[in-house]
Amino acid sequence: MRAGELRGAQWSEFELDGAEWRIPAARMKMGELHIVPLSRQAVAILRELQPLTGFGQYVFPSLRTLSRPMSNNTINAALRRLGYGKDEMTGHGFRSMASTLLNEQGFPPDLIELQLAHVERNKVRAAYNKAQRLAERRKMMQAWADYLDGLRAGANAIPAGRSI
């Protein structure tokens, strides 16, 4: 997700039992509802977070007031505290990294673009094709979460051009 969509996440948008995050059109850059399939890992993290912030509106509330989401600087500030320079990683950089690695792992580019909530540039195709491909995106997001878990456990990153 874009950093703004993530930081503004509201508990009312999540269906944890169905493993989905439904971001309303009003909060999306392109003004359309976006359904995000959640991996088992994402659901587990949200369930751990729920006792801490689930009583309020925002999944990630501001430290100063529960009536606002965390600051738009929070994600990048956290990356700086972790030791990443501005030229190494940003909150938005996770989107680029995921797109690159999912493409290298052989997932269909159209599927990745749907997951990133990118708009179809072909106007005719955009007018007629409203497919969400949720089942395929759910599998892709689970594979992505499993891949990240593998990296955390010490697995090697997939070399460029190889697929899993």
Side-chain angles (χ1 to χ4, degrees):
M1 300 314 311
R2 292 175 183 91
E5 294 155 359
L6 178 65
R7 74 177 191 88
Q10 298 179 25
W11 284 109
S12 61
E13 298 170 353
F14 289 87
E15 175 48 57
L16 296 181
D17 291 336
E20 284 186 355
W21 177 15
R22 292 177 169 261
I23 306 171
R27 287 204 330 99
M28 292 298 298
K29 179 180 178 180
M30 303 318 271
E32 291 186 22
L33 169 73
H34 186 57
I35 302 170
V36 180
L38 300 171
S39 67
R40 290 186 308 274
Q41 294 91 325
V43 170
I45 289 168
L46 287 164
R47 288 195 191 282
E48 284 183 42
L49 187 58
Q50 206 166 24
L52 303 173
T53 67
F55 52 84
Q57 178 180 2
Y58 295 103
V59 176
F60 305 106
S62 166
L63 289 175
R64 293 189 175 91
T65 175
L66 297 177
S67 64
R68 288 195 327 245
M70 68 179 173
S71 162
N72 59 1
N73 297 317
T74 301
I75 295 170
N76 287 337
L79 288 168
R80 301 305 153 254
R81 282 193 297 276
L82 288 170
Y84 292 97
K86 292 178 183 178
D87 58 336
E88 293 177 291
M89 187 52 135
T90 64
H92 193 78
F94 287 106
R95 287 173 58 85
S96 175
M97 178 181 64
S99 176
T100 299
L101 291 170
L102 288 168
N103 273 289
E104 286 182 350
Q105 292 173 15
F107 287 97
D110 282 356
L111 204 61
I112 296 165
E113 294 302 306
L114 269 173
Q115 188 60 37
L116 292 171
H118 286 165
V119 172
E120 171 64 51
R121 290 190 176 140
N122 179 316
K123 301 288 187 212
V124 173
R125 185 174 183 205
Y128 288 98
N129 184 9
K130 302 297 181 191
Q132 292 288 314
R133 298 176 68 181
L134 286 172
E136 294 170 276
R137 288 173 47 212
R138 188 171 308 284
K139 288 178 185 174
M140 180 176 70
M141 296 313 296
Q142 187 59 57
W144 176 247
D146 292 343
Y147 172 71
L148 294 176
D149 274 353
L151 291 177
R152 184 176 55 189
N156 291 325
I158 295 173
R162 296 270 172 94
S163 48
I164 59 172

